[in-house]
């Protein structure tokens, strides 16, 4: 496969470093160890191409995916002739390369929401101008950009006049308008279509795109060419699908906005029009592994848009090892290289059960010998499946153990992460009176609270103040000290009204806590100032566009709403407010690229928490390669550094680390060493506490791309799916005839990994190495 494709010097260097010696996919790919390294590979290839094509046509991606591509490109250009820059160039096939000049390149914008003001910081137009035109020193005059404000519409009007609700009804392409506004809209849609055709022509008149770089969506979309897009599609105004809307919700301030916004995108044929084009798709994290496999191993097919790269001799996928993990090549290498571990046996046998849809006890030795991977198991025998069954049974037994005399510190990057990850396991721990539990969310989570939610809550707060139903503001000392007292009482009253099903009183409970937050954040001194502050915040939010970065005080207010929600969840089990710790790490800023964790600002508060709680067990999300949001990845780095530092102060050799995952990504059975049964009652507790406490999330403004609804439903489905996998190995009888009631009642399973400190730090050490000495 490799000999059939022309590899550049950069690609040869990275291929050699990767150790991959067999590529059988329909599009060649390169793998690197981690997300930052993916940025380095892409930056090196881009600069190599730019040096050879100083007047070429380029198209580069927006969003969070290209963060390290942008940083490495700038770093290399600024350090081209420093020792560090030279060392990197020498190592990766650019030793003799003359420093490229980027100013004469023509930049083509890949896509844009429509309509959206080019002045909005969450528009791709703004992103392109900030990070590429200015950041790379490209020519604004030569650039081919999508500016919604300048696309001509009927009667020379602005889109805000033609589409006052910002919704574009594409059925007007094919039906008669029913009123004057629809006539203008229809004419405008035809004009946009013509503008798109002209955009396409401008690209083709230049010979097409010479260097294309893009990410890949959960449905396989490249640019906004979603699943099912025509292989010969061109630049057009089009709708998106739910998965794409869910991913875009973060940019646009919620699914409510992204579901109603159309897009202008270049087409699949636009990308491959130039037969000599270098077209690269980048993907990081195991969450992308399924769509990467389908895109690389399926023949040209409109269900998998990225298969269009098969048309190009320079079409490539650049992947982290996690994103490549499901490729047949990777599976072969996993089983055929290195020493054989029992984990490999487990994985091969469980996968065979799924492949054949056969219970473990019904697998015959001939089934194992006929399987590509099971036949490699050393000392393969009739007993092999029994060994795997015993191993899984032992993991279940570990999940049933009653823990005693533990000081537990459960941590999460965002509010709701802990609950969605391991709530049924935590309830087992909390049922034991000798255990002491603490909970800590490491970021303030303000980006998950929509402006609409805050406005509605503040309006209701004003109404209650008018009706004299927030009586605490009448106490003499409320604005000096009272606002900070009796927070447990707030929580208790709220949950009492959950029990009595009094929705109005629950809302009042939230408004009480919001008043306390306003007094704290804005240093409010009296009732008059409180009303003025509420009006000011409402006014600021009404003038803000969805997805706009809020002022720091509003970020804090939103974060405190999330913190109240977290306190409510754990109060279900009698956990006091003082045992719920809100760290608000400083790297979490609401910017498109959040900073890397800082040793003083972000690590020290975690160490301080360890000193205070002195835990015997710590839980954390184990997303080692950014499979979920990048916050998971960065919090893991900060926590690993904190554990290391704490270990320098005291003996923590007995400390256990629980690595869990939730709605963003899940463990496979062979990766976990503890399995916890989940009953229907456990699921109900999780769903009810989510719906009753995470008020700002119930409408799922930022849903998972896998489900248009609450995250709690996604978590439940994950647990049920995990049970199905294990039932196929152990048999259903194992569960409903088990001696333990907890197992008989299980209708879902939770997987997690229980590690000692050394094992955890070894897992996290790769993260440290990945950004060492970079910026």
């Amino acid at each position: 496969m490799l000999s059939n494709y022309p590899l550049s010097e950069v690609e040869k260097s990275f291929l050699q470093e990767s150790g991959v010696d067999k590529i059988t996919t329909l599009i060649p790919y390169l793998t690197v160890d981690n997300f930052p390294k993916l940025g380095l590979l892409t930056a090196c290839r881009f600069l190599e191409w730019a040096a050879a094509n100083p007047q070429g046509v380029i198209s580069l991606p927006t969003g969070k995916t290209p963060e390290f591509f942008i940083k490495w490109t700038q770093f290399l250009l600024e350090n081209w002739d420093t020792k560090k820059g030279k060392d990197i160039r020498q190592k990766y096939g650019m030793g003799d390369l003359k420093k490229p000049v980027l100013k004469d390149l023509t930049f083509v914008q890949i896509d844009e929401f429509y309509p959206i003001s080019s002045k909005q910081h969450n528009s791709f137009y703004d992103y392109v101008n900030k990070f590429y035109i200015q950041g790379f020193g490209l020519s604004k005059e030569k650039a081919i950009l999508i500016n919604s404000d300048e696309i001509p519409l009927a009667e020379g009007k602005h889109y805000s006049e033609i589409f006052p609700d910002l919704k574009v009804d594409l059925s007007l392409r094919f039906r008669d308008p029913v009123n004057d506004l629809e006539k203008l809209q229809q004419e405008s849609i035809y004009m946009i279509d013509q503008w798109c055709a002209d955009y396409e022509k401008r690209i083709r008149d230049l010979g097409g795109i010479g260097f294309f770089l893009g990410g890949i969506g959960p449905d396989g979309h490249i640019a906004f060419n979603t699943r099912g897009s025509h292989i010969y599609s061109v630049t057009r105004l089009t709708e998106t699908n739910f998965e794409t809307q869910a991913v875009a919700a973060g940019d646009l301030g919620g699914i409510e906005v992204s579901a109603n916004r159309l897009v202008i995108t270049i087409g699949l044929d636009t990308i491959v029009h130039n037969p000599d084009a270098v077209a690269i798709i980048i993907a990081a994290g195991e969450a992308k592994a399924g769509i990467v496999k389908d895109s690389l191993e399926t023949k040209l097919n409109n269900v998998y848009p990225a298969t269009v790269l098969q048309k190009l001799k320079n079409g490539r996928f650049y992947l982290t090892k996690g994103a490549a993990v499901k490729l047949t090549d990777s599976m072969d290498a996993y089983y055929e290289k290195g020493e054989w571990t029992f984990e490999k046996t487990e994985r091969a046998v469980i996968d065979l059960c799924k492949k054949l849809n056969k219970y473990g006890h019904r697998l015959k030795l001939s089934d194992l010998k006929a399987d590509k991977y099971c036949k490699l198991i050393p000392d393969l025998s009739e007993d092999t499946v029994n060994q795997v069954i015993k191993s899984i049974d032992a993991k279940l037994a570990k999940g049933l153990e009653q823990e005693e005399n533990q000081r537990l510190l459960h941590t999460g990057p965002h509010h709701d992460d802990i609950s969605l990850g391991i709530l049924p396991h935590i309830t087992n721990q909390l049922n034991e009176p000798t255990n002491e539990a603490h909970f800590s969310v490491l970021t303030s989570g303000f980006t998950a609270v929509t402006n609409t939610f805050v406005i509605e809550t503040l309006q209701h707060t004003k109404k209650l103040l008018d009706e004299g139903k927030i009586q605490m503001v009448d106490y003499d000392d409320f604005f000096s000290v009272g606002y900070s007292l009796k927070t447990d009482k707030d929580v208790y009253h709220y949950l009492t009204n959950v029990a009595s099903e009094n929705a109005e009183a629950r809302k009042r409970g939230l408004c009480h806590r919001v008043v306390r937050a306003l007094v704290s954040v804005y240093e409010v001194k009296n009732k008059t100032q409180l009303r003025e502050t509420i009006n000011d915040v409402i006014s600021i939010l009404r003038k803000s566009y969805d997805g706009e970065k809020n002022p720091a005080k509003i970020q804090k207010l939103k974060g405190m709403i999330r913190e109240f929600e977290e306190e409510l969840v754990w109060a279900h089990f009698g956990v006091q407010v003082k045992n719920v710790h809100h760290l608000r790490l400083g790297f979490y800023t609401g910017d498109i690229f959040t900073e890397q964790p800082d040793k003083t600002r972000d690590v020290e508060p975690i160490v301080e928490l360890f000193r205070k709680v002195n835990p015997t067990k710590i839980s954390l999300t184990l997303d080692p390669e950014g499979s979920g949001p990048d916050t998971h990845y960065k919090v893991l780095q900060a926590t690993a550094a904190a554990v290391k530092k704490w270990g320098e102060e005291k003996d923590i050799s007995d400390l256990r680390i629980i690595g869990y995952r939730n709605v963003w990504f899940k463990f496979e059975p062979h990766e976990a060493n503890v399995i916890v049964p989940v009953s229907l009652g456990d699921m109900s507790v999780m769903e009810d506490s989510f719906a009753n406490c995470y008020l700002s999330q119930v409408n799922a403004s930022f849903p998972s791309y896998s489900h248009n609804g609450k995250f709690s439903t996604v978590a439940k489905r994950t647990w049920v799916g995990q049970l199905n996998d294990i039932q196929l190995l152990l048999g259903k009888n194992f569960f409903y005839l088990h001696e333990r009631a907890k197992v008989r009642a299980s209708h879902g399973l939770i997987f997690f990994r229980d590690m000692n400190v050394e094992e955890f730090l070894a897992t996290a050490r790769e993260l440290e190495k990945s950004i060492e000495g970079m910026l």
Side-chain angles (χ1 to χ4, degrees):
M1 174 72 183
L2 294 176
S3 58
N4 300 340
Y5 286 84
L7 292 181
S8 77
E9 293 306 311
V10 165
E11 288 178 323
K12 286 175 189 170
S13 303
F14 277 92
L15 178 64
Q16 191 176 357
E17 186 177 79
S18 73
V20 172
D21 52 16
K22 182 179 76 169
I23 294 181
T24 62
T25 51
L26 296 168
I27 302 166
Y29 62 88
L30 292 172
T31 60
V32 291
D33 289 339
N34 50 59
F35 190 35
K37 190 77 169 275
L38 187 64
L40 175 60
L41 161 59
T42 317
C44 289
R45 181 67 186 105
F46 169 64
L47 292 172
E48 178 186 43
W49 182 90
N53 300 272
Q55 295 187 305
V57 180
I58 62 170
S59 208
L60 305 174
T62 51
K64 288 184 183 268
T65 305
E67 174 181 4
F68 287 103
F69 161 68
I70 290 168
K71 287 179 176 174
W72 273 118
T73 299
Q74 290 173 330
F75 178 85
L76 287 167
L77 287 171
E78 287 163 13
N79 293 273
W80 197 262
D81 291 316
T82 66
K83 182 181 184 308
K84 188 154 186 210
K86 281 180 180 172
D87 287 349
I88 292 170
R89 290 196 291 117
Q90 200 66 46
K91 186 174 181 182
Y92 295 115
M94 299 195 299
D96 301 327
L97 204 65
K98 194 173 170 222
K99 182 178 177 180
V101 177
L102 306 185
K103 68 178 176 59
D104 293 323
L105 295 170
T106 299
F107 186 94
V108 173
Q109 186 174 335
I110 295 176
D111 47 23
E112 181 60 280
F113 301 110
Y114 187 86
I116 189 169
S117 170
S118 59
K119 296 178 185 67
Q120 287 186 204
H121 292 310
N122 59 347
S123 71
F124 292 157
Y125 178 87
D126 182 83
Y127 182 110
V128 162
N129 275 280
K130 180 178 179 184
F131 292 110
Y132 294 134
I133 306 293
Q134 292 167 27
F136 285 8
L138 302 175
S139 163
K140 180 82 182 272
E141 291 67 41
K142 292 180 79 168
I144 301 174
L145 304 177
I146 306 170
N147 182 336
S148 292
D149 292 309
E150 292 179 359
I151 296 174
L153 303 176
E155 297 183 0
K157 292 178 184 281
H158 188 257
Y159 68 71
S160 56
E161 298 170 274
I162 302 285
F163 308 109
D165 57 0
L166 303 182
K167 291 181 185 175
V168 182
D169 180 2
L170 290 184
S171 73
L172 282 165
R173 278 181 179 147
F174 314 111
R175 66 173 175 84
D176 290 335
V178 296
N179 55 41
D180 288 343
L181 180 60
E182 281 203 348
K183 279 180 191 166
L184 287 174
Q185 289 177 338
Q186 184 184 63
E187 189 184 336
S188 295
I189 289 169
Y190 292 151
M191 291 175 75
I192 297 167
D193 289 342
Q194 183 57 48
W195 183 92
C196 289
D198 293 341
Y199 191 89
E200 181 77 18
K201 184 174 185 300
R202 289 172 70 192
I203 298 168
R204 295 194 179 218
D205 284 349
L206 292 168
I209 295 164
F211 186 96
F212 173 87
L213 178 63
I216 187 165
D219 68 321
H221 72 249
I222 54 173
F224 274 126
N225 295 285
T226 54
R227 183 181 56 246
S229 293
H230 203 296
I231 292 295
Y232 292 96
S233 55
V234 293
T235 304
R236 65 206 182 280
L237 175 69
T238 186
E239 294 169 329
T240 55
N241 55 14
F242 171 71
E243 294 100 321
T244 306
Q245 291 160 8
V247 172
D251 295 315
L252 291 179
I255 191 80
E256 307 85 351
V257 184
S258 60
N260 290 310
R261 204 62 62 93
L262 299 190
V263 294
I264 292 173
T265 180
I266 62 173
L268 295 175
D269 200 52
T270 321
I271 295 168
V272 300
H273 173 70
N274 177 351
D276 296 319
V278 171
I280 298 164
I281 299 296
I282 50 175
E286 292 183 36
K288 291 278 174 74
I291 193 59
V292 164
K293 176 183 171 66
D294 290 333
S295 299
L296 285 177
E297 296 184 359
T298 307
K299 285 185 178 174
L300 194 62
N301 189 316
N302 68 336
V303 176
Y304 302 113
T307 57
V308 77
L309 265 61
Q310 290 172 29
K311 292 184 172 190
L312 298 173
K313 63 179 183 289
N314 290 312
R316 302 281 188 273
F317 268 59
Y318 289 175
L319 308 167
T320 63
K321 282 184 177 167
V325 78
K326 288 188 178 176
L327 293 175
T328 304
D329 295 339
S330 300
M331 295 287 286
D332 289 351
Y334 170 80
Y335 284 111
E336 291 166 7
K337 291 183 178 179
E339 66 167 310
W340 189 275
T341 60
F342 189 72
E343 187 181 281
K344 291 183 182 182
T345 301
E346 267 188 341
R347 183 177 181 182
V349 169
I350 292 169
D351 282 352
L352 183 61
C353 288
K354 288 199 269 188
K355 272 184 234 169
L356 301 179
N357 196 26
K358 212 171 186 182
Y359 288 118
H361 61 272
R362 292 195 177 147
L363 284 180
K364 300 188 173 107
L365 185 57
S366 57
D367 291 326
L368 274 71
K369 285 181 174 175
D371 180 66
K372 182 180 181 182
Y373 302 132
C374 287
K375 71 181 182 186
L376 302 174
I377 297 171
D379 305 319
L380 189 60
S381 70
E382 300 279 0
D383 193 44
T384 298
V385 177
N386 287 333
Q387 289 171 7
V388 174
I389 288 172
K390 280 180 193 164
S391 168
I392 296 296
D393 193 7
K395 294 179 185 186
L396 260 166
K398 205 168 175 193
L400 289 165
E401 285 173 8
Q402 186 62 56
E403 298 166 89
E404 297 175 348
N405 300 305
Q406 300 292 333
R407 275 187 313 285
L408 307 155
L409 174 59
H410 293 292
T411 74
H414 307 93
H415 305 83
D416 71 27
D417 274 333
I418 306 168
S419 171
L420 294 169
I422 47 170
L423 181 61
H425 177 58
I426 292 170
T427 56
N428 294 343
Q429 295 173 326
L430 292 174
N431 286 335
E432 168 52 53
T434 63
N435 292 334
E436 179 187 320
H438 291 256
F439 299 85
S440 181
V441 178
L442 303 191
T443 68
S444 90
F446 56 80
T447 58
V449 182
T450 64
N451 292 349
T452 305
F453 180 84
V454 178
I455 290 168
E456 287 173 358
T457 303
L458 290 177
Q459 285 173 329
H460 197 72
T461 303
K462 274 207 303 184
K463 178 173 171 283
L464 292 174
L465 285 167
D466 291 342
E467 294 168 356
K469 288 184 178 172
I470 300 185
Q471 294 148 346
M472 62 185 182
V473 297
D474 295 323
Y475 295 134
D476 290 341
D477 68 345
F478 177 75
F479 291 97
S480 56
V481 65
Y483 72 90
S484 63
L485 307 174
K486 297 191 177 178
T487 48
D488 277 308
K489 188 178 173 187
D490 279 353
V491 168
Y492 186 78
H493 278 200
Y494 181 97
L495 293 180
T496 298
N497 289 300
V498 168
S500 62
E501 298 186 4
N502 187 335
E504 188 57 34
R506 281 208 304 273
K507 217 167 180 184
R508 185 176 160 208
L510 170 65
C511 294
H512 263 77
R513 180 55 74 92
V514 166
V515 167
R516 293 183 191 277
L518 287 164
V519 175
S520 168
V521 173
Y522 289 90
E523 299 178 359
V524 175
K525 299 300 179 203
N526 52 54
K527 285 193 277 188
T528 305
Q529 201 184 338
L530 175 61
R531 286 174 187 280
E532 288 169 356
T533 303
I534 290 173
N535 287 332
D536 284 348
V537 174
I538 290 173
S539 174
I540 290 167
L541 290 177
R542 278 193 172 140
K543 288 173 189 164
S544 302
Y545 55 81
D546 291 303
E548 182 174 359
K549 185 180 175 182
N550 296 131
K553 286 187 175 178
I554 292 181
Q555 286 183 345
K556 194 170 181 185
L557 175 65
K558 285 184 171 184
M560 289 173 86
I561 290 171
R562 292 293 272 142
E563 290 165 0
F564 176 54
E565 294 173 346
E566 194 72 14
E567 290 167 10
L568 291 173
V569 170
W570 303 118
H572 270 67
F573 311 99
V575 176
Q576 291 181 287
V577 168
K578 68 182 174 63
N579 280 24
V580 184
H581 310 273
H582 310 296
L583 287 205
R584 305 175 187 169
L585 295 185
F587 77 83
Y588 186 85
T589 58
D591 292 319
I592 180 79
F593 301 144
T594 53
E595 299 171 38
Q596 290 300 320
D598 175 84
K599 281 190 167 62
T600 307
R601 181 193 62 198
D602 300 313
V603 175
E604 192 53 43
I606 305 175
V607 179
E608 191 51 48
L609 181 64
F610 292 164
R611 293 180 189 125
K612 183 177 174 183
V613 174
N614 197 24
T616 56
K617 284 193 176 183
I618 298 168
S619 76
L620 44 80
T621 52
L622 199 65
D623 273 340
E625 206 188 66
S627 291
D630 67 342
T631 309
H632 287 209
Y633 184 77
K634 288 170 181 174
V635 161
L636 186 59
Q637 289 180 56
T639 308
V643 168
K644 208 169 168 185
K645 188 167 183 199
W646 195 39
E648 291 164 6
E649 297 175 10
K650 63 167 285 181
D651 177 11
I652 56 170
S653 52
D654 291 334
L655 178 70
R656 303 299 299 181
I657 310 285
I658 305 300
Y660 66 88
R661 290 178 178 168
N662 54 34
V663 296
W664 298 108
F665 191 60
K666 62 191 179 72
F667 283 116
E668 293 300 326
H670 66 275
E671 297 175 301
N673 58 13
V674 182
I675 298 177
V676 178
V678 181
S679 68
L680 286 173
D682 291 328
M683 291 180 196
S684 296
V685 169
M686 194 264 298
E687 290 244 67
D688 287 350
S689 62
F690 191 96
N692 289 320
C693 302
Y694 293 119
L695 297 173
S696 64
Q697 305 306 298
V698 171
N699 291 332
S701 287
F702 305 98
S704 161
Y705 58 80
S706 64
H707 173 65
N708 190 1
K710 300 195 297 287
F711 276 128
S712 52
T713 308
V714 183
K716 189 170 84 169
R717 286 179 181 175
T718 300
W719 299 345
V720 171
Q722 291 175 169
L723 173 72
N724 291 341
D725 287 351
I726 297 303
Q727 267 188 345
L728 206 46
L729 174 74
L730 301 183
K732 289 186 178 176
N733 293 10
F734 175 92
F735 287 89
Y736 67 76
L737 297 176
H738 201 277
E739 61 186 27
R740 293 282 297 268
K742 184 80 181 161
V743 179
R744 293 197 300 273
S746 60
H747 291 278
L749 295 174
I750 289 172
F751 299 163
F752 62 81
R753 194 183 295 164
D754 183 331
M755 300 167 281
N756 63 29
V757 172
E758 270 313 300
E759 288 166 332
F760 166 63
L761 289 178
T763 303
R765 204 165 282 135
E766 289 306 307
L767 292 177
E768 235 183 324
K769 284 196 316 204
S770 73
I771 53 162
E772 238 166 43
M774 176 187 157
L775 300 167

